Amino acid sequence: MAGANHQTVHRFDHPGEGIRRAKSIPKGRQIDPLAQEEIEKLLGDRSRQRDLLIEHLHLIQDTYHQISAAHLAALADAMKLSFAEVFETATFYAHFDVVKENDPPVPPLTIRVCDSLTCALFGAEKLLHAVRAGAGPHVRVVRAPCVGRCDTAPVAEVGHHFVDHATPSTVIAAAEQGDTHPHLPDYVGYDDYVAKGGYRLLERVRSGDLSTEQLLQALEGASLRGLGGAGFPTARKWRSVLGEPGPRLMAINGDEGEPGTFKDRFYLETDPHRFLEGALIGAHVVEAAEIYIYLRDEYPAARAILQREIAKLPPGGPVIHLRRGAGAYICGEESSMLESLEGKRGLPRHKPPYPFQVGLFGRATLINNVETVFWVRDIVEKGAAWWTSQGRNDRHGLRSYSVSGRVKSPGVKLAPAGVTIRELIEEFCGGMAEGHEFRAYLPGGASGGILPASMDNIPLDFGTLEKYGCFIGSAAVIVLSQQDDIKAAALNLMRFFEDESCGQCTPCRVGTQKAAALMEARDWDRDLLGELSQVMRDASICGLGQAASNPLTTVIKFFPEEFAPKGAAE
C-alpha cells in the first residue's frame, strides 16, 4: 500500500477550518541512496539468500575496511532482512568492524598480533607494544586470538598476510611495503594428485565397484574417529546420517580455532585434493547433493587454494560451497557452525535434536572435521590393517599432533597414536629447545588441561587423559619449560575463553569473566575457583564453558608448588 511506511499528522489550527494534512514523516531507518548504490554494485548478480549474509558482510569489510551503519541498512534492504538481523550478526563476529554513524573511520590497514599462549611465550606482548609504537598513523594494531600458526610464534597478520617469527621490524616492513595478501605455499595440485592415483577411489565408489557397505566396513575396521576433538566413530556417524530421511547435506568443520592447533591448515595447504576426495566420498555415501566447507577466516591461503582447486574438479557430483568464518572460536562447535553457515550469529543449539537428525537448514547433516575425511582414501586403499598396525602403548592408528612451545622442531608431527609426551618431544621434535628443561605440557590445546613433566608416560590418545581432568581433543600439544609461569599460562587461556564466549549462557559468559578476575590475584582462592569451575562444567550449554576451567583445575591439582608459601620450596 502506498504510504504504508509513513505517519500522517492531523492538525486543527482554527475551529471549523477542517483537516489539513502535514508533510508525512518517514518511519524507521532510511536507506542512504549512495550506500544503496554501492551495495548493489558490490553484490552484483550474487544471490541475496539469507545464508549468504556473512559472505556479503565480508565483501563490504574487504572493500571498505569497515562496515558502516549506512551499508548495513542498505544490505538489509537488498536482502529483505530487518536491520536488527543484519546488525546483530555483523557485531557478533570479531573480523567485522562495524562503525556507527558518529564513530571515526577505521584505518585502512589493520595489523593483528596473536597473543594466545604459544605466541605469548615467545614475546607477543613486547611485539604488540613495539609495533604500535612504530606503525604509522593509518595503521591499526590490535590483539588477536590464536591464528593457527603456533609453530612459527610469534605471529602477526598484516592485512591478510602472516608474518611468521615476527619482529617489530619485519611486521612494520610488511605494512610499509603493502605486503598484505596471503602467500600461497607449494602444494599438490589437481594434475599431480590425479597422476598419482587421486580420485580413483571416488570413481570406484560412484561406479559401484566399491560398495557403500564395503567402504563403511573399511572405516569401521580401522576404527577411524572424528579428529576435530570429539572422537566420534566416523563410520557410525555416516550410517546414522544415512538412516535419516533425505534430502541430506554435508558440512566440513574447518574452523580450527583451538589455541595450539594448526594441523587442518597444514593438510589444506599441502594436499588439498586428498581432503576434497574424502569429502566427496562422504557426500556420496550419505547421498548429500551439497557440501558446505566452513573455513576459518584466519586461513586465507587455504581458502585461496581451495577456491582454485575446487574450480578444477570435473563437473558432476555434489555442489561445493566454500564459506568463510569471521573470527569466532565458538563456531568450531558443530551447532554454532551450522548457525553461522545459515548466516546468523554462531550461538550453540540445544540438543537434541542432533545435527545428524536436524542440521543445516533443518536437514539431516553429516558433519566431519577436515582431517577426518583427509584419511579416508589412505585407509580404504591401504586397508584397515595398515591403519591399526600403527600405534604405541596399546593404542591404534596415526595422530597428527600440532606441537608448539619449547621444543627444537615444532610443527605437525604425524606419529603413532598413543605416543607419550617424552617420545613425542625426543623422537619427533628434536628434544627441548636450547636452555629449556621440560616442566609441563598441554596435551589437548587450551581446553585440554595442563599436566606436569612428571606425568610424562600417559599415552596421548582418546580416552587416556580424562581421568586426570584432561583430554586429547584435536591433539594440540604445547610444551612449557622451567622458564614459563604455569599460573600465567592458565590465566592466558582463561582470558581467551572469556573473550571467545558467545554470551548465550550465564555460566560461561559470567563464569569465564569471574574466573579470569580471580586468577589475576597473586594468591588464588582455590576453593572459590573450584566451585565456579564445577558450575561452569555442569550448567554451560556447550563445550566451551564446560571445558574452559580445565587449565585452572589441573594447575591447582598437579602443581602444588605454585601455591606453597614463599620460600617453602627452599
Side-chain angles (χ1 to χ4, degrees), residues 444-479:
S447 54
I450 305 177
L451 293 174
S454 59
M455 298 173 67
D456 61 355
N457 60 346
I458 304 170
L460 298 178
D461 197 17
F462 294 117
T464 62
L465 293 153
E466 283 75 3
K467 62 183 177 181
Y468 306 108
C470 301
F471 55 78
I472 188 69
S474 57
V477 178
I478 304 176
V479 179

Side-chain angles (χ1 to χ4, degrees), residues 43 48-50 52-53 56 74-81:
L43 296 185
R48 270 65 165 169
Q49 63 196 54
R50 174 68 170 83
L52 289 172
L53 173 57
H56 295 342
L75 181 62
D77 182 69
M79 298 186 71
K80 303 295 187 286
L81 298 171

Side-chain angles (χ1 to χ4, degrees), residues 32 529 545:
D32 178 82
L529 281 169

Side-chain angles (χ1 to χ4, degrees), residues 470-531:
C470 301
F471 55 78
I472 188 69
S474 57
V477 178
I478 304 176
V479 179
L480 307 179
S481 78
Q482 85 285 2
Q483 296 187 22
D484 300 318
D485 185 329
I486 303 299
K487 290 169 71 176
L491 175 57
N492 177 285
L493 301 173
M494 186 57 71
R495 284 173 174 160
F496 170 82
F497 291 123
E498 177 188 6
D499 185 60
E500 293 293 337
S501 173
C502 75
Q504 181 178 191
C505 69
T506 302
C508 176
R509 182 185 67 251
V510 178
T512 52
Q513 179 186 20
K514 294 297 183 183
L518 289 168
M519 293 166 72
E520 289 173 357
R522 179 178 177 181
D523 298 317
W524 287 9
D525 187 335
R526 285 174 280 174
D527 291 338
L528 185 56
L529 281 169
E531 291 179 23

Side-chain angles (χ1 to χ4, degrees), residues 54-55 58 62 160 293-295 297 303 322-326:
I54 293 172
E55 293 297 305
H58 273 302
D62 290 344
H160 291 299
I293 301 174
Y294 187 87
L295 187 64
D297 197 29
R303 184 171 66 252
L322 183 58
R323 295 292 177 85
R324 183 176 169 187

